């Protein structure tokens, strides 16, 4: 079938098709170079930080967690959160929204659907 099509196409048409094919190949090569330059570099950086940040706390860090929770309770009772700047309040709001989003996504995955539990 391809030989038949190539036989009936003129030489000019064949050159135009070949030129457009080469342009598409060059565009794909440029995209691959951009992928390698930006995405893979960022992926290795992400992997380096993820290895450190996503590990569970070890036995030595449990004391820090308890002290941090105690500090949060003390700050809440003394209304330290009321003296936060607008930037800190915006960052804290985004963090709370992210935690809530992951909680609701986990709930949907756990119950196997978007609406109601299977009884």
């Amino acid at each position: 079938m391809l030989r038949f099509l190539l036989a009936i196409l003129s030489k000019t048409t064949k050159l135009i098709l070949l030129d457009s094919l080469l342009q598409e190949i060059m565009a794909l090569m440029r995209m691959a170079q951009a992928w390698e330059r930006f995405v893979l570099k960022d992926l290795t950086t992400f992997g380096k930080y993820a290895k450190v940040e996503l590990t569970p706390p070890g036995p030595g860090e449990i004391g820090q967690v308890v002290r941090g929770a105690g500090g949060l309770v003390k700050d809440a009772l003394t209304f330290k959160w009321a003296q936060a700047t607008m930037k800190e309040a915006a960052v804290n709001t985004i963090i709370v929204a992210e935690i809530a989003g992951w909680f609701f996504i986990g709930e949907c995955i756990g119950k196997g659907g978007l609406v109601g539990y299977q009884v």
Side-chain angles (χ1 to χ4, degrees):
M1 180 73 177
L2 182 62
R3 287 186 183 171
F4 173 74
L5 287 175
L6 288 175
I8 61 172
L9 292 175
S10 68
K11 194 171 199 171
T12 307
T13 308
K14 289 178 189 176
L15 288 176
I16 291 171
L17 289 174
L18 182 62
D19 183 54
S20 66
L21 180 65
L22 289 175
Q23 287 178 1
E24 292 294 324
I25 290 173
M26 292 301 292
L28 284 173
M29 290 177 68
R30 284 191 297 273
M31 287 176 19
Q33 287 175 341
W35 173 269
E36 181 182 18
R37 190 175 320 125
F38 297 110
V39 175
L40 291 181
K41 178 182 68 99
D42 293 341
L43 196 62
T44 56
T45 304
F46 171 77
K48 182 177 72 172
Y49 288 127
K51 184 177 180 184
V52 174
E53 296 294 331
L54 297 177
T55 57
E61 297 172 330
I62 299 298
Q64 292 175 352
V65 171
V66 172
R67 281 192 300 277
L72 282 174
V73 170
K74 186 183 85 169
D75 290 346
L77 292 176
T78 60
F79 289 95
K80 185 177 179 185
W81 54 270
Q83 283 87 32
T85 64
M86 246 350 251
K87 182 179 179 180
E88 291 171 342
V91 168
N92 290 339
T93 302
I94 291 171
I95 290 171
V96 168
E98 181 183 4
I99 291 170
W102 283 114
F103 172 78
F104 292 128
I105 289 171
E107 280 289 310
C108 290
I109 291 171
K111 66 184 173 184
L114 290 176
V115 181
Y117 286 93
Q118 298 172 356
V119 185

